[in-house]
Amino acid sequence: MRADSRFTEACGAELRAEISASGGNEVFALGWTDGAGRVERIRVLARGNGGAVPAVWRWTEGAEGGKSPPGPAGREDHGPAPSAGENSPPDVFIHNHPSGFLTPSDNDLRIACRAAEEGTGAYITDNEVEKVYVVAEPVRRKKIRALDADEICAALEEGGSVARGLPSWEPRKSQLDLVRLVIRGFNEDALVAAEAGTGVGKSFAYLLPAVHYALANGERIVISTATINLQQQLFEKDIPLVALSAGRKIKAVLMKGRGNYLCRRRLEDALGEPDLRDEHNDELRRLALWAETARTGSRSDLSFVPAGEVWSRICSEADLCMGMRCPMRERCFVLSLRKEAADAKLLVVNHHLLFADLAARREGAGYEGTVVLPPYTRIIIDEAHTIEDAATSFFSKEFSRLGIFRQLGRLYRRRRANQRGLLVRLASLANRDPAGDRLDQAAALIEKIRTAADSLDQAGLLLCGEGTGPGFQGTFRLTPGREDAFRPLFSHFASLRKHIGALGDMIRTVLEECEDLDEQNEGLESCVWEIKTALRRLDEVGGICSSFIAYREKPEEVMWLEPRQGRGDSGDSGNPWITYTVTPVDIAPALEEALFRPNKSVVCTSATLALDGSFDYWAGRCGLSLAGNRGYLSGCFPSPFPYHVSTLLAVPSDAPLPEEPGYQSFVDRAVTRLVAAAGGSALALFTSYQSLRSAWEAAAGELGNLGIRCLKQGDDDRSRLLSNFLEDRTSVLFATDSFWQGVDAPGDTLRLVILCRLPFRTPSEPVFEARGEALEKKGRNAFMELSLPESVMKFKQGFGRLMRRSSDRGVVAVLDGRILRKRYGEIFIRSLPETKQHFGEFESVLQKTESFLFDKN
């Protein structure tokens, strides 16, 4: 075959020159084709001798014999992404035969077969590139329509289609710049990291390119957020407006985790086996009435909040789903949602659901079909500063005594003469002696597991500092240096694992003896399915026990114990218990492999991703920096809000350091007086509940006398607490960790934010401590590379609670003396937008706060 039928003239000349430069020896190159199917661009990867050349290509193993999109080996680039098409897989592998005989060798055929699995062709040419032998035809790739940045940005400019639909629209250069970066991410198949300050309008900045790209190219785009509130805002408000501006309909589907949806089969099973607590039976009946008319089956659609124990009995769960074998499949809420998602171009999900899908694909489910989500290759991640924590949570494994008791209670429970549970139901449905006669044996084994779990917890509570409330010393991480203290728990783990194994063996024997029963007995099949699920979950507990026992063999994981207290779903009366957790030390490699490597475009955005304009810290923690052969696009887009005139950063120069005597007393007095001066409308953020409680107790009486309502985290659930705060403009909310982000209180609702302490994580927190140690082992500085940057990022989040609209005005007061007295304090101050500042003794700070809030001249 003539080579000019497969190569453009310029590309043929380039390949001929490369072969000549290698002394006429074999070369191995990648080729990309034009619209006519001819190779228009090559990249030589290797040079060999007269009879062989290494095919230096990194094959990335995927699922079930498939592959995730491969990438060339050997190039490392943390800078801007390559030009358009550079990151796309090659269309053809090319090498030459200096002899002029183009018949492929056996090795040529093996490589061509491997390439064909990816849709990549294989060509052999002579040294003059006059002839070509096509070993495998390349798959013609769909032509992609690139987005026109000017055309899309016009929608957000004055008189534009989106601008006209926003009553409070105002021109924002930073928003338009962000739009252009996201468009580059799509057009160039690139990874993107973008920090967009409060008020930039990042949702519209990524939705406009996403909608236009999906419509132009027929590709599905997944949009993932950290909070359900943002999910609903995107789905209910922002996407419809952007679609309207585009002038075309686009199908978008909001998808939550399975646990948010009711399972009709499990509801029917629960109704058929009434719980022993009457109030729960009443809720089940209310849920059954609601399910008759429910459209989506989502818990958020309920007019009441069911007890956690009740909802856990009837919600959809992946390992309890019978799929196509379920008798309720025709009316299944989750299957209905998946059908809706199958032809949707935009999927709005949360991070946990996204990670569930990515993990399943990485572990073997493949990239071509539906797993948790339909297939996709482009993702937008909003609130991306949370993905390391979200992924850490997802990839962690844990169990507790209460969790074990829930599974055992599902299998068998007894109160006086009443027997309930799946095993009792199995005996009734099977109507056979093997199932019934084993109940007493199962009950005895279940009691042994309960006893073993209680003994393990008692030993764990002693280890963590026996007692309740302030008596707890906190978490305990298992390390070689602490093994003497931990060693007594090994026998308890082994005992629990042994009894779980014995129960599983016994029940599986019973299930085997029941296999010949009528397969059409749907009730029996459902019961067996639930029993197997309970056993799998108990087996997972046994596996975690094994991990703790063999902790020395697992240096890549952190094993730790954490005491908990409160009323659990199982009806626990409030006695303390222990959670036993296994967590990966480094989550970055898993995220790079599952998230960044297989997808064409991943756009990550948040108000806090960069430190001093650099994304190195965040990119290193979440795995983006490991995608070295691709690089990534990045940009910081400042807030358009007038911080320099509307915000005062106030720091008392006489504030003690946290470790100095009198620090908490200073905080107690300062919070009370600052809130009183502001007349409420305040958010006081702490890093520990103990400090919060002290400040609240000191302030509640005095502020109450002034008509200022003092709300405290822990007195109500988060949503109701926030609702009460937003409705009462004279209130103050005392809060800790989770309230440093996600609080949106515009206007006079919030005029004063008090950051009582720089948000450094406790050094002894198990996962944090292990990650710091891992850095130190590499000769790096854990404080400068982990502790400090993480604290600065969270500090920026806390600061960001104040200004939510351009018309907002207020004060951020920092009561931690380290911000002025430690050298690193300047890093915190420099991380904030330009504001008015007042650094002086507390009395002057108090006066300045009051005058700034009330004397706007």
Side-chain angles (χ1 to χ4, degrees):
M1 183 182 295
R2 288 172 56 90
D4 59 9
S5 67
R6 295 289 174 152
F7 293 86
T8 64
E9 183 177 353
C11 188
E14 182 183 356
L15 180 58
R16 190 162 47 247
E18 289 282 0
I19 294 170
S20 177
S22 70
N25 290 310
E26 288 197 24
V27 300
F28 175 76
L30 309 178
W32 285 264
T33 59
D34 60 15
R38 296 191 305 170
V39 178
E40 65 172 351
R41 181 167 59 87
I42 63 167
R43 178 147 57 93
V44 173
L45 292 188
R47 297 163 182 83
N49 55 33
V53 63
V56 285
W57 181 257
R58 184 178 66 193
W59 299 93
T60 304
E61 292 296 334
E64 299 176 351
K67 314 291 183 295
S68 59
R75 189 173 71 83
E76 183 139 340
D77 180 8
H78 295 285
S83 59
E86 183 84 1
N87 282 327
S88 60
D91 295 304
V92 62
F93 289 171
I94 306 163
H95 77 287
N96 61 302
H97 280 183
S99 66
F101 295 101
L102 306 188
T103 302
S105 67
D106 290 344
N107 198 42
D108 291 339
L109 293 174
R110 280 193 294 271
I111 292 173
C113 286
R114 191 81 179 272
E117 294 177 2
E118 302 289 344
T120 304
Y123 295 172
I124 303 174
T125 75
D126 59 358
N127 279 16
E128 291 73 30
V129 196
E130 293 178 347
K131 297 181 293 182
V132 61
Y133 187 97
V134 179
V135 185
E137 292 282 2
V139 174
R140 296 290 292 271
R141 306 190 190 279
K142 183 177 71 173
K143 186 172 178 59
I144 296 296
R145 285 184 55 193
L147 298 180
D148 185 319
D150 292 337
E151 178 184 328
I152 292 174
C153 283
L156 287 168
E157 294 172 343
E158 187 171 2
S161 53
V162 173
R164 290 196 306 269
L166 296 171
S168 58
W169 175 87
E170 55 189 28
R172 302 171 186 176
K173 180 181 181 301
S174 52
Q175 184 182 49
L176 298 177
D177 290 342
L178 176 55
V179 171
R180 293 180 183 277
L181 180 67
V182 175
I183 288 173
R184 284 190 63 194
F186 284 128
N187 286 347
E188 300 174 19
D189 290 347
L191 307 175
V192 176
E195 179 176 275
T198 307
V200 165
K202 67 179 185 297
S203 298
F204 288 111
Y206 62 67
L207 284 177
L208 268 167
V211 168
H212 281 271
Y213 196 91
L215 289 172
N217 296 295
E219 292 194 28
R220 179 180 293 110
I221 297 173
V222 173
I223 302 169
S224 182
T225 78
T227 61
I228 197 166
N229 287 341
L230 182 53
Q231 270 188 281
Q232 290 173 329
Q233 175 191 315
L234 293 173
F235 180 71
E236 296 170 4
K237 298 178 180 179
D238 298 348
I239 291 175
L241 177 58
V242 171
L244 184 65
S245 78
R248 293 173 58 188
K249 290 184 178 180
I250 185 168
K251 186 173 182 180
V253 171
L254 172 65
M255 298 186 74
K256 307 171 190 174
R258 270 184 175 271
N260 288 283
Y261 300 95
L262 179 138
C263 172
R264 293 185 186 276
R265 178 186 65 79
R266 298 192 72 207
L267 174 62
E268 186 175 86
D269 288 347
L271 291 168
E273 185 193 0
D275 196 276
L276 299 178
R277 297 170 66 179
D278 290 339
E279 68 272 20
H280 288 178
N281 293 330
D282 290 340
E283 282 196 355
L284 281 174
R285 286 189 285 271
R286 291 182 67 187
L287 285 164
L289 287 172
W290 169 75
E292 291 177 4
T293 57
R295 187 176 64 85
T296 68
S298 172
R299 179 169 53 176
S300 63
D301 295 341
L302 283 165
S303 60
F304 63 98
V305 180
E309 184 179 355
V310 174
W311 185 255
S312 67
R313 281 280 304 277
I314 52 91
C315 69
S316 177
E317 296 190 49
D319 57 353
L320 285 167
C321 179
M322 297 178 67
M324 297 309 293
R325 301 173 64 184
C326 178
M328 299 286 188
R329 62 184 176 277
E330 297 299 328
R331 301 178 63 212
C332 174
F333 291 117
V334 171
L335 282 180
S336 176
L337 179 66
R338 286 190 168 184
K339 289 177 184 176
E340 284 292 304
D343 62 346
K345 295 307 177 190
L346 295 180
L347 297 181
V348 183
V349 305
N350 59 35
H351 294 345
H352 191 273
L353 192 64
L354 175 64
F355 289 137
D357 183 80
L358 292 172
R361 294 181 188 279
R362 173 178 174 245
E363 291 167 8
Y367 291 86
E368 300 303 321
T370 295
V371 185
V372 178
L373 304 175
Y376 54 88
T377 58
R378 301 187 191 276
I379 307 171
I380 295 170
I381 300 180
D382 202 343
E383 301 172 309
H385 65 282
T386 66
I387 64 173
E388 184 191 11
D389 286 343
T392 297
S393 174
F394 181 83
F395 288 108
S396 294
K397 298 173 288 187
E398 68 177 34
F399 77 87
S400 70
R401 172 172 56 88
L402 299 189
I404 293 172
F405 287 3
R406 274 195 293 273
Q407 298 308 317
L408 297 178
R410 291 290 293 129
L411 291 171
Y412 178 85
R413 58 190 183 277
R414 181 173 187 148
R415 183 177 294 179
R416 300 185 182 91
N418 293 315
Q419 296 183 100
R420 293 284 189 274
L422 293 166
L423 297 179
V424 177
R425 191 164 147 227
L426 177 67
S428 173
L429 290 167
N431 195 25
R432 291 180 57 162
D433 288 341
D437 291 348
R438 303 285 177 84
L439 278 178
D440 288 343
Q441 183 183 351
L445 287 171
I446 284 172
E447 188 56 37
K448 287 182 178 179
I449 295 174
R450 285 180 172 272
T451 300
D454 279 332
S455 298
L456 175 62
D457 249 23
Q458 290 170 13
L461 289 168
L462 282 172
L463 198 62
C464 292
E466 183 182 22
T468 60
F472 279 120
Q473 295 175 7
T475 57
F476 183 95
R477 174 181 162 220
L478 180 53
T479 63
R482 297 174 177 174
E483 187 170 320
D484 286 344
F486 188 82
R487 188 174 291 112
L489 269 71
F490 286 154
S491 61
H492 294 295
F493 279 118
S495 175
L496 180 58
R497 181 180 61 182
K498 180 182 75 172
H499 294 311
I500 286 174
L503 177 67
D505 291 343
M506 190 276 292
I507 294 177
R508 289 186 179 97
T509 299
V510 171
L511 296 180
E512 289 174 4
E513 294 170 353
C514 295
E515 281 182 354
D516 60 337
L517 294 178
D518 186 0
E519 293 182 359
Q520 301 304 311
N521 187 334
E522 292 180 347
L524 179 60
E525 187 177 21
S526 174
C527 180
V528 168
W529 195 279
E530 295 249 352
I531 289 172
K532 288 181 177 179
T533 299
L535 293 182
R536 279 196 300 271
R537 293 180 180 182
L538 288 171
D539 287 343
E540 289 170 4
V541 172
I544 296 172
C545 290
S546 295
S547 293
F548 271 86
I549 293 169
Y551 82 98
R552 283 183 175 271
E553 301 170 14
K554 300 177 180 290
E556 73 284 359
E557 294 180 324
V558 191
M559 322 278 178
W560 48 290
L561 286 66
E562 182 176 9
R564 304 278 180 87
Q565 192 170 12
R567 185 179 179 87
D569 287 346
S570 64
D572 189 273
S573 61
N575 293 324
W577 71 89
I578 295 289
T579 297
Y580 306 86
T581 306
V582 178
T583 298
V585 174
D586 188 1
I587 208 71
L591 282 174
E592 189 278 329
E593 182 183 347
L595 174 61
F596 297 114
R597 190 188 304 174
N599 290 293
K600 294 177 182 177
S601 301
V602 183
V603 176
C604 299
T605 183
S606 168
T608 52
L609 289 185
L611 295 172
D612 273 347
S614 169
F615 291 83
D616 288 351
Y617 167 72
W618 175 82
R621 300 306 308 168
C622 73
L624 181 58
S625 63
L626 298 179
N629 66 299
R630 293 184 66 179
Y632 60 91
L633 303 171
S634 64
C636 293
F637 305 90
S639 169
F641 291 169
Y643 286 97
H644 62 290
V645 295
S646 298
T647 302
L648 172 68
L649 177 66
V651 183
S653 58
D654 51 352
L657 301 182
E659 65 271 17
E660 291 178 345
Y663 169 73
Q664 185 60 50
S665 297
F666 173 82
V667 169
D668 294 348
R669 293 192 305 272
V671 168
T672 302
R673 298 185 66 191
L674 283 167
V675 173
S681 303
L683 174 65
L685 293 171
F686 300 81
T687 59
S688 76
Y689 192 78
Q690 184 177 1
S691 179
L692 178 155
R693 187 169 51 244
S694 175
W696 181 85
E697 289 173 350
E702 183 175 336
L703 294 179
N705 291 335
L706 297 174
I708 298 173
R709 183 183 181 190
C710 293
L711 302 170
K712 173 166 60 70
Q713 184 177 348
D715 287 349
D716 207 338
D717 70 56
R718 191 180 192 274
S719 60
R720 281 195 292 266
L721 198 62
L722 269 177
S723 178
N724 290 335
F725 174 62
L726 294 174
E727 291 170 1
D728 188 348
R729 294 188 176 184
T730 62
S731 64
V732 54
L733 174 57
F734 292 72
T736 59
D737 190 55
S738 65
F739 286 81
W740 284 72
Q741 58 187 350
V743 176
D744 191 8
D748 288 341
T749 301
L750 181 58
R751 295 177 299 164
L752 171 64
V753 173
I754 306 174
L755 306 180
C756 297
R757 187 167 178 163
L758 298 180
F760 285 102
R761 201 179 294 213
T762 305
S764 60
E765 184 176 313
V767 178
F768 186 76
E769 182 181 53
R771 288 173 174 170
E773 290 173 1
L775 288 173
E776 297 285 353
K777 286 178 181 177
K778 296 176 183 177
R780 296 161 64 181
N781 187 315
F783 178 78
M784 295 302 296
E785 295 187 46
L786 178 63
S787 184
L788 179 61
E790 182 190 68
S791 180
V792 172
M793 297 276 270
K794 190 167 182 178
F795 180 77
K796 290 170 66 177
Q797 282 286 333
F799 175 89
R801 295 314 93 211
L802 181 68
M803 290 281 288
R804 309 306 296 174
R805 292 194 299 221
S806 60
S807 58
D808 288 351
R809 179 182 176 89
V811 176
V812 176
V814 183
L815 304 183
D816 189 329
R818 291 176 293 183
I819 198 167
L820 298 181
R821 293 163 60 184
K822 297 290 186 180
R823 290 181 61 185
Y824 58 73
E826 178 60 29
I827 298 175
F828 286 88
I829 296 172
R830 201 168 59 238
S831 73
L832 303 177
E834 181 185 353
T835 66
K836 289 183 177 294
Q837 295 181 351
H838 180 78
F839 304 157
E841 292 185 351
F842 178 73
E843 291 300 328
S844 69
V845 165
L846 195 64
Q847 294 172 9
K848 191 70 175 179
T849 297
E850 189 169 8
S851 64
F852 186 83
L853 291 176
F854 298 107
D855 182 9
K856 298 183 181 181
N857 296 322

